[in-house]
Amino acid sequence: NAGVTQTPKFQVLKTGQSMTLQCAQDMNHNSMYWYRQDPGMGLRLIYYSASEGTTDKGEVPNGYNVSRLNKREFSLRLESAAPSQTSVYFCASSEWTGLLEAFFGQGTRLTVV
Amino acid sequence: AQKITQTQPGMFVQEKEAVTLDCTYDTSDPSYGLFWYKQPSSGEMIFLIYQGSYDQQNATEGRYSLNFQKARKSANLVISASQLGDSAMYFCAMREINNNDMRFGAGTRLTVKP
């Protein structure tokens, strides 16, 4: 059971470089999410997609873009990485209804130098 | 906007004792769900327990129970008979029925002492 799969697991970028974090889920969920986790701040929502074809900003969207490629896949792009984007990134998915839990990927540890 | 507050950055508990982790929330939506997740040192997010705003009874899952006080807008996690493997970060989260995003608190680091 794959669940939610994120790639890569680790990445080091230089300031100004771009990259895309990939996320795929095999649970036929409608909603997908991208979070970042920083020490002492919990998980903060970057973007989410309530259903295929829609995306919405979360708490901290600046510096990021997303694409809901299809129902399975939701990617997060950093166009010009900055040291402030050093973080652990989590992708998650859930059914559309707000009253069910979200399932998380293993996370991507990103360092921007 | 919804807001989740966890006021305990760190907690200690003796093995086999019970511990309560606090969570308060703020929402104007009458229909919402409250969630607790565990994050061990390995980093994965593990779903523990869920409480719906219209549920009449407090949720329980094994050694985990949720002390839901709707009027006070609190959803505290109670872990009974703590085990060394319970040492981890614990996050409270909420989703509103009319707002699909899920927001998290800052977390509480629980350490179980032998």
Side-chain angles (χ1 to χ4, degrees):
Chain A
N1 295 337
V4 180
T5 303
Q6 290 181 234
T7 55
K9 288 187 170 50
F10 301 93
Q11 184 72 48
V12 178
L13 287 180
K14 293 182 178 179
T15 298
Q17 287 185 319
S18 62
M19 80 162 295
T20 299
L21 306 183
Q22 306 287 353
C23 177
Q25 52 92 8
D26 62 3
M27 295 174 282
N28 203 35
H29 286 162
N30 288 302
S31 301
M32 298 186 73
Y33 309 83
W34 276 106
Y35 292 91
R36 60 177 288 172
Q37 183 178 19
D38 303 294
M41 303 192 74
L43 279 76
R44 292 184 292 168
L45 184 64
I46 304 172
Y47 272 93
Y48 68 101
S49 171
S51 60
E52 187 178 357
T54 68
T55 59
D56 287 283
K57 295 179 180 179
E59 302 169 81
V60 289
N62 292 344
Y64 305 95
N65 285 301
V66 290
S67 295
R68 184 73 184 266
L69 304 171
N70 47 56
K71 191 171 185 179
R72 289 187 65 248
E73 298 172 289
F74 188 39
S75 62
L76 178 71
R77 183 160 178 84
L78 288 71
E79 291 290 352
S80 179
S84 61
Q85 294 178 305
T86 293
S87 189
V88 179
Y89 291 85
F90 285 97
C91 177
S93 73
S94 74
E95 291 293 347
W96 182 88
T97 172
L99 304 183
L100 291 174
E101 71 271 25
F103 295 83
F104 283 79
Q106 293 297 309
T108 296
R109 186 173 294 277
L110 175 67
T111 303
V112 183
V113 298
Chain B
Q2 55 182 307
K3 183 177 179 181
I4 311 295
T5 303
Q6 295 180 253
T7 58
Q8 307 155 313
M11 290 281 288
F12 291 90
V13 65
Q14 206 68 32
E15 192 178 8
K16 300 181 184 177
E17 292 185 349
V19 63
T20 298
L21 306 184
D22 294 342
C23 174
T24 58
Y25 60 92
D26 187 25
T27 179
S28 56
D29 197 319
S31 183
Y32 51 88
L34 296 157
F35 308 84
W36 278 91
Y37 284 84
K38 173 184 178 180
Q39 186 180 45
S41 58
S42 52
E44 70 268 31
M45 295 289 288
I46 302 168
F47 167 71
L48 295 178
I49 194 167
Y50 158 82
Q51 179 84 43
S53 59
Y54 291 117
D55 292 344
Q56 296 295 316
Q57 294 191 334
N58 288 342
T60 60
E61 288 287 346
R63 294 186 298 111
Y64 304 108
S65 60
L66 203 153
N67 183 1
F68 181 47
Q69 299 186 44
K70 192 171 183 177
R72 297 181 59 187
K73 293 188 175 179
S74 73
N76 299 339
L77 177 70
V78 180
I79 305 175
S80 63
S82 296
Q83 302 172 357
L84 296 178
D86 293 334
S87 293
M89 284 289 291
Y90 289 81
F91 293 99
C92 179
M94 181 174 71
R95 286 173 72 177
E96 299 165 336
I97 191 69
N98 293 317
N99 187 6
N100 198 261
D101 62 353
M102 177 183 272
R103 302 294 176 102
F104 284 76
T108 296
R109 181 172 298 280
L110 177 67
T111 302
V112 180
K113 294 183 173 182

